[in-house]
Amino acid sequence: MRSLLSRIHPPAAISTASFLTNSSATTAAASSKTLAPSGAAAPLRLGLVRRFAAMAATAAEELVKGRVHPNGVAVITLDRPKALNAMNLEMDVRYKALLDEWETNPSVKCILVESSSPRAFSAGMDIKGVAAEIQKDKSTPLVQKRLANDCTMPEIIEVFTAEYSLICKIHEYAKPYICLMDGVTMGFGIGLSGHGRYRIITERTLLAMPENGIGLFPDVGFAYIGAKAPGGGAVGTYLGITGKRISSPADALFIGLGTHYVPSGNLGSLKESLLNANFTDDPHRDVESVLTGYKKEPESEPQLKKLLPNIVSCFSPDKSVAESVEELKKCSQSGDATVAEWANDALAGIKKGAPFSLCLTQKHFSQVASAYGNSEHYLSKLASVMKVEYRIALRSSVRNDFVEGVRAVLVDKDQNPKWNPATLEEVNMAEVESVFEPLGADSELSV
């Protein structure tokens, strides 16, 4: 999910996002034109910039709280419960700043990330703002009005840059990074947790990547996570294309989204044990010792393990989306009721997705899965995967499918999006290929 919402159609008078960075001349120029008509007002303009930047930073500090405890455990608490801890740009920036600060602080031994609410770890990126703007002016073709074929809006570029840079920071973090993935963990919530070293799931954990249903694609490096899952990438492709929700601890562990299962009632005691731990010169060993004391075995077997042969036959990297659909239709006629139910559920999930998004998802996940294990391949490293996703995200987010998906799912809520193209058969694969093309030399993601 995305925080694009509040940025696709900014207020006419002041563009808030332009106050958050001076990294681009384009943004600075746009801010100058918006805030002041002449150089005489420069002091006033600068004052406004500083004032709004300070306000944004203060707000982010309330939503992403950081505290270092005496024994060296640094805790990040996501505290935006009414929005299920949906992350906006300011929160991304605050989160990464804490990790940057603690990375070089010798007093910090490990990072613990939690939510203030049992309902959600994080439901992803905040898209309510964009939905509100579309609802305000449904008749305006926002994307076509503001953007060309490639994304040129500094605000959108800032969002994806902050999000993907944070994911790479988490993946490369040397100190123990522990996420308590209790409750809803979707979209960017998986980005914040799924690339960390210790991923604690509970019986309340609910995992999903539903982006195809609003005309985007499952990003946040989920293709990289999926490539490492059983089935040679087929399980990851299945979850990415169908948007299937995972609510079973056994399935979460099986696919690698979780590393430890801890019942939710024990999370408080786990946190206390970490806060009372005496850390040695090997904090990873210390953390693992604490986690071992709380780790439980799920009560059930992973359903996805039982279905693995069917998942592989339907979603192997060499199959197009159309071919996957045909295989699923065959499975739906199976005499095994479990297989037939699974196939029908998968078909229903695919039906909700934008055809263009489904095709680009299949291509991306297939490429990443094929590269896994080959250290010489560009896409065998997460940083490279995020660079490709950055290209895809900037381009797919300006397609009309995104605006239409938000309208159908979040604004009008008629659940009847009019995708363009409308069917898999109508998707131009050359156009799909084009979203993967490199950006300009100075426009690629730098991680």
Side-chain angles (χ1 to χ4, degrees):
M1 309 296 283
R2 297 280 160 271
S3 71
L4 303 177
L5 308 173
S6 59
R7 307 185 185 286
I8 283 186
H9 193 205
I14 298 176
S15 173
T16 306
S18 66
F19 300 147
L20 302 176
T21 180
N22 59 3
S23 61
S24 104
T26 302
T27 305
S31 302
S32 298
K33 291 179 182 178
T34 303
L35 294 172
S38 70
L44 173 62
R45 181 170 67 248
L46 182 59
L48 284 171
V49 169
R50 289 174 175 168
R51 179 182 175 187
F52 277 90
M55 290 170 61
T58 300
E61 289 175 6
E62 293 299 313
L63 302 178
V64 180
K65 298 176 179 177
R67 178 186 176 187
V68 179
H69 290 261
N71 73 331
V73 176
V75 179
I76 292 177
T77 303
L78 302 180
D79 192 15
R80 197 186 181 194
K82 290 183 179 180
L84 301 182
N85 292 329
M87 299 283 290
N88 60 33
L89 174 61
E90 294 76 25
M91 294 169 70
D92 291 347
V93 172
R94 163 72 172 166
Y95 196 120
K96 186 172 182 296
L98 289 172
L99 293 184
D100 286 340
E101 176 187 344
W102 294 338
E103 188 174 30
T104 56
N105 183 343
S107 297
V108 173
K109 305 302 180 183
C110 76
I111 314 299
L112 175 65
V113 188
E114 63 176 4
S115 166
S116 65
S117 167
R119 292 181 62 203
F121 171 69
S122 174
M125 294 302 287
D126 183 5
I127 58 170
K128 290 293 180 69
V130 169
E133 292 301 332
I134 294 175
Q135 195 166 23
K136 241 195 292 189
D137 191 4
K138 293 181 182 178
S139 63
T140 302
L142 300 177
V143 172
Q144 294 89 336
K145 180 179 179 181
R146 297 296 304 274
L147 303 168
N149 291 331
D150 272 3
C151 178
T152 56
M153 281 185 68
E155 296 91 341
I156 291 181
I157 293 172
E158 284 180 285
V159 169
F160 285 115
T161 299
E163 179 180 332
Y164 292 0
S165 297
L166 177 52
I167 288 171
C168 290
K169 166 64 71 174
I170 291 168
H171 178 68
E172 297 165 359
Y173 215 68
K175 295 181 179 181
Y177 178 91
I178 312 157
C179 271
L180 304 183
M181 302 161 67
D182 191 29
V184 175
T185 306
M186 296 184 181
F188 190 46
I190 290 178
L192 294 174
S193 55
H195 299 287
R197 178 72 174 271
Y198 306 103
R199 308 180 292 279
I200 316 305
I201 57 161
T202 75
E203 77 283 357
R204 299 187 300 209
T205 302
L206 181 61
L207 303 157
M209 292 295 296
E211 287 80 2
N212 283 325
I214 56 169
L216 288 175
F217 77 107
D219 61 338
V220 303
F222 189 69
Y224 184 81
I225 295 173
K228 297 184 289 183
V235 172
T237 301
Y238 156 62
L239 296 175
I241 286 180
T242 66
K244 171 68 176 177
R245 294 185 173 193
I246 300 298
S247 58
S248 158
D251 281 337
L253 293 174
F254 176 68
I255 63 180
L257 281 172
T259 57
H260 299 75
Y261 166 54
V262 177
S264 60
N266 295 340
L267 290 182
S269 297
L270 169 59
K271 179 180 177 181
E272 284 302 310
S273 294
L274 287 169
L275 296 182
N276 291 320
N278 293 315
F279 286 92
T280 66
D281 58 357
D282 189 350
H284 279 284
R285 183 182 61 189
D286 302 327
V287 166
E288 288 166 3
S289 176
V290 172
L291 292 178
T292 298
Y294 286 90
K295 177 181 178 182
K296 302 293 183 182
E297 291 299 320
E299 297 178 359
S300 62
E301 291 295 313
Q303 186 74 1
L304 292 178
K305 184 177 182 180
K306 300 175 185 177
L307 291 165
L308 187 59
N310 305 99
I311 294 173
V312 171
S313 71
C314 293
F315 293 96
S316 58
D318 61 329
K319 280 188 168 57
S320 67
V321 181
E323 289 170 335
S324 292
V325 169
E326 290 306 311
E327 287 293 326
L328 286 169
K329 288 179 179 178
K330 294 177 185 177
C331 288
S332 71
Q333 303 301 315
S334 171
D336 186 328
T338 299
V339 172
E341 181 182 1
W342 166 79
N344 283 318
D345 183 63
L347 287 168
I350 292 174
K351 188 175 180 181
K352 293 179 182 179
F356 187 90
S357 295
L358 294 171
C359 290
L360 78 83
T361 296
Q362 188 282 328
K363 177 178 173 61
H364 178 51
F365 277 56
S366 173
Q367 289 182 337
V368 177
S370 298
Y372 180 67
N374 179 1
S375 60
E376 296 183 359
H377 196 289
Y378 177 70
L379 291 176
S380 66
K381 300 176 178 59
L382 177 64
S384 298
V385 173
M386 297 317 302
K387 289 181 180 181
V388 171
E389 291 195 358
Y390 184 73
R391 300 168 186 170
I392 302 171
L394 293 185
R395 289 169 173 145
S396 64
S397 66
V398 302
R399 290 178 50 82
N400 189 65
D401 276 350
F402 172 56
V403 176
E404 175 60 10
V406 170
R407 180 206 64 76
V409 176
L410 298 173
V411 180
D412 297 336
K413 298 183 180 180
D414 58 22
Q415 308 302 323
N416 187 30
K418 302 297 187 291
W419 303 125
N420 182 20
T423 66
L424 291 171
E425 292 74 22
E426 295 175 73
V427 175
N428 183 341
M429 290 308 295
E431 187 177 352
V432 172
E433 296 276 352
S434 71
V435 304
F436 290 81
E437 292 298 318
L439 302 169
D442 298 327
S443 301
E444 298 281 7
L445 179 68
S446 177
V447 290

